[in-house]
Amino acid sequence: MTEDPFVVHRSLLFTVAYEMLGSSADAEDVLQESWLRWADVDRAQVRDPRAYLVRTVTRQALNRLRTLSRSREEYVGEWLPEPLLTSPDVAEDIELAENVSIAMLTVLETLGPTERAVFVLREVFEVPYGEIAEAVGKSAAAVRQIARRAREHVAARRPRVPVSRSEQQAVVERFLAALRTGRLQELLDVMAPDVVLIADGGGLAGAARAPIHGAALVASMLALPGRAVSAVWLNGAPAGRIEIDGRVAAVSLVVEDGKVTRIHAIANPRTSPWTPPSPSAT
């Protein structure tokens, strides 16, 4: 028997939904809704199952994203994407790792729902403009304009200089080692002077409600003893897992010129930083 196209393309569909929503739980809900619709379709009428399924998932994710956008306007403190626990081999696919990184997902959060859908489908998955137009309910000409604006928006906000995997890993290891010792100077040495710390506690866990700027202030907050610190891979990049007093946080870093320039700390009890490994976009 031929394997069901939904099963064949599930990894791709999950990645599309996750990049649009920034939450694996919401992405899984979208896949469930899409599967129910797929189950009722006359397969003989579907010429291109992959395109049909991507379109279905996009529409469901757009509906969910519009609802989430309204609720996030009232969110307490900073909102950060839900991290995915991945294996190191995901980082071998440099383009995929960059597109699912916490830094990129945070930038995508600044786009409107339709802009985000168009950017993900076009720039990440190279879906033809005509297919994107069908998925988002716009003309192909309008989609081209939206894609251009979204591309410029993202380019202005993404990390300026991409770093190699080895450099990223070396800086992350230094940062985690400094956290383990709690030594202020070691933290200062590994961070850029204008480093920014953004924390998401969901209004439930202890977290700063606004970004914290400057190495001195960030280091003074992080240089605390009694923390269990371990290395993990999140969203295709080396990262950290921190536990203190039974509370767990995921820490993702942006590295530029050998220094940490941005720290994303997710300690939101509503989400889990240890979601099973993200499937690749195949």
Side-chain angles (χ1 to χ4, degrees):
M1 294 180 63
T2 303
E3 193 169 10
D4 189 290
F6 193 96
V7 177
V8 172
H9 300 298
R10 192 184 189 285
S11 293
L12 166 66
L13 300 176
F14 174 88
T15 309
V16 169
Y18 176 68
E19 289 209 28
M20 286 183 61
L21 298 167
S23 162
S24 63
D26 288 318
E28 290 290 356
D29 287 345
V30 162
L31 258 62
Q32 180 65 26
E33 293 164 1
S34 300
W35 163 252
L36 293 175
R37 284 161 174 74
W38 174 246
D40 290 335
V41 169
D42 180 359
R43 311 293 171 83
Q45 302 301 314
V46 179
R47 294 193 303 272
D48 186 343
R50 181 182 184 275
Y52 183 93
L53 289 168
V54 168
R55 186 163 63 247
T56 300
V57 166
T58 299
R59 288 172 177 170
Q60 296 304 313
L62 263 176
N63 292 337
R64 180 65 62 93
L65 187 57
R66 287 167 180 143
T67 300
L68 291 173
S69 294
R70 290 191 292 270
S71 64
R72 286 172 187 171
E73 290 176 358
E74 302 174 354
Y75 193 80
V76 177
E78 298 290 319
W79 186 89
L80 290 173
E82 177 185 347
L84 289 171
L85 187 65
T86 57
S87 57
D89 64 325
V90 172
E92 299 293 344
D93 186 335
I94 297 174
E95 186 174 356
L96 174 63
E98 179 182 355
N99 286 323
V100 299
S101 69
I102 295 295
M104 174 58 83
L105 292 173
T106 303
V107 171
L108 293 183
E109 187 64 20
T110 63
L111 294 171
T114 301
E115 287 181 313
R116 184 166 183 170
V118 169
F119 180 88
V120 167
L121 292 176
R122 182 60 190 171
E123 300 302 316
V124 180
F125 299 104
E126 300 180 340
V127 175
Y129 287 112
E131 291 183 21
I132 299 174
E134 290 185 36
V136 301
K138 303 282 186 181
S139 69
V143 166
R144 287 179 182 274
Q145 291 298 315
I146 293 170
R148 178 184 59 78
R149 292 196 303 269
R151 196 161 46 241
E152 292 172 352
H153 180 96
V154 171
R157 290 163 176 79
R158 71 197 315 169
R160 296 185 298 274
V161 182
V163 299
S164 67
R165 172 181 169 180
S166 59
E167 180 182 354
Q168 175 85 14
Q169 191 163 5
V171 174
V172 170
E173 288 174 355
R174 285 180 58 205
F175 179 84
L176 296 180
L179 281 184
R180 289 189 190 97
T181 63
R183 292 173 182 165
L184 185 64
Q185 189 57 53
E186 291 181 6
L187 281 168
L188 289 171
D189 289 342
V190 76
M191 294 189 298
D194 57 350
V195 65
V196 179
L197 168 64
I198 301 174
D200 177 5
L204 299 175
R209 295 191 178 184
I212 299 170
H213 297 261
L217 187 54
V218 171
S220 66
M221 292 189 64
L222 296 178
L224 298 173
R227 293 183 172 183
V229 179
S230 56
V232 293
W233 285 79
L234 297 176
N235 296 67
R241 179 187 191 275
I242 301 174
E243 183 173 355
I244 183 169
D245 296 331
R247 299 191 303 273
V248 177
V251 177
S252 174
L253 306 177
V254 175
V255 174
E256 297 178 57
D257 298 324
K259 298 283 188 179
V260 175
T261 59
R262 187 169 291 259
I263 303 168
H264 297 114
I266 303 101
N268 187 346
R270 292 192 182 97
T271 65
S272 169
W274 320 120
T275 305
S278 167
S280 62
T282 55

